[in-house]
Amino acid sequence: MRRLALIVEGHGEEKALPVLVRRILNEEVEGSPVVEVLRPHRLPRGRMVKPEHLGRAVALQSSRVAGVGGVLVVADADDDDPAVLAADITAASGAEHPVPVIAVREYEAWLLAALPSLTSHRSVRTGASWEGDPESVRGAKERLSAAMVEPYRETLHQASFSAIADLGMIAGRSPSFRNLVAAVSRLAVE
C-alpha cells in the first residue's frame, strides 16, 4: 500500500490536511490506488525553512513512508512569494525530496473560496459567500469569522470545514489548491 506522509506548520492543518487529502484522493484522483495518509508532522513556519529542522522532519516522514509513497510539505505563503518559499523548502529538505505545496496567503483562502458550500455547517451563516479572489487578500481567517455565528478557530473549524467544502468550487477559484490536487495525484500514482 502506498503511503503519503505530511508535514504541516499549524495545529489546525495537523487535523485538517489529512481530511482534505483523503477527500482529494477519493473525489479528485481518478483511479487512485488505496493510499494510507499518515499522521502529519507539525513544524512551525520559522523552522520549516531551516535545513536542520526540515531535514530531520523530512527524514522522519520518509522513513514512515518506507519508499512506497511520498512526503508532502504544505505551508502558508502569507506575504511571501510562493515560488520562492517552495524553493526554500526544497533546498532545506536535504537528501530526501518532498513535494512542497504553498497555499497562497493561507490554508483558509481555500475554505473562503468554497464559503457557500460551508453553510451546511452550524457555525456558518445561511447565505454566506465571498466573491473576491481568495488568494489576493490577507486575512482569510477574519473573512471566514465574519461569515460565521462564532469566531473562527483553526483547531475547531478547519478540519470540519475541510470535510464539507466543495472541492470543485475551491479548484475553480484557487490555483494553489489545484497545485495541491496535482501533488496529491502525483504522489498517489507514481
Side-chain angles (χ1 to χ4, degrees):
M1 174 186 305
R2 296 187 69 77
R3 293 181 185 96
L4 182 55
L6 309 172
I7 298 174
V8 299
E9 63 177 310
H11 291 285
E13 288 91 353
E14 200 170 6
K15 293 178 181 178
L17 192 62
V19 171
L20 189 58
V21 167
R22 286 185 191 101
R23 287 196 59 213
I24 290 168
L25 288 165
N26 292 330
E27 299 173 31
E28 302 294 320
V29 181
E30 194 167 318
S32 173
V34 176
V35 177
E36 181 183 4
V37 179
L38 303 176
R39 186 171 163 261
H41 179 89
R42 192 177 66 78
L43 190 65
R45 171 68 179 276
R47 294 180 174 196
M48 196 171 278
V49 294
K50 293 184 178 173
E52 65 274 16
H53 297 290
L54 184 60
R56 279 195 300 265
V58 170
L60 171 70
Q61 292 298 74
S62 293
S63 72
R64 294 179 69 209
V65 168
V68 184
V71 177
L72 179 67
V73 179
V74 177
D76 292 346
D78 296 322
D79 293 323
D80 294 334
D81 180 312
V84 171
L85 181 57
D88 289 347
I89 288 171
T90 299
S93 66
E96 304 290 338
H97 295 290
V99 175
V101 173
I102 309 302
V104 173
R105 297 293 180 207
E106 52 194 320
Y107 185 109
E108 285 79 7
W110 296 339
L111 300 174
L112 189 61
L115 185 56
S117 70
L118 301 180
T119 58
S120 64
H121 192 281
R122 61 177 171 67
S123 297
V124 179
R125 289 190 173 98
T126 302
S129 67
W130 196 74
E131 299 304 320
D133 176 357
E135 295 188 345
S136 69
V137 296
R138 191 77 164 92
K141 289 178 183 81
E142 291 79 10
R143 284 175 172 74
L144 283 173
S145 250
M148 296 172 61
V149 297
E150 63 188 26
Y152 174 78
R153 293 195 327 240
E154 293 173 39
T155 55
L156 180 63
H157 298 106
Q158 199 172 29
S160 60
F161 287 178
S162 294
I164 63 172
D166 182 316
L167 300 184
M169 192 178 290
I170 302 171
R173 299 181 69 197
S174 172
S176 69
F177 182 77
R178 292 192 297 270
N179 291 340
L180 175 66
V181 172
V184 169
S185 299
R186 188 169 59 252
L187 290 169
V189 297
E190 283 183 358

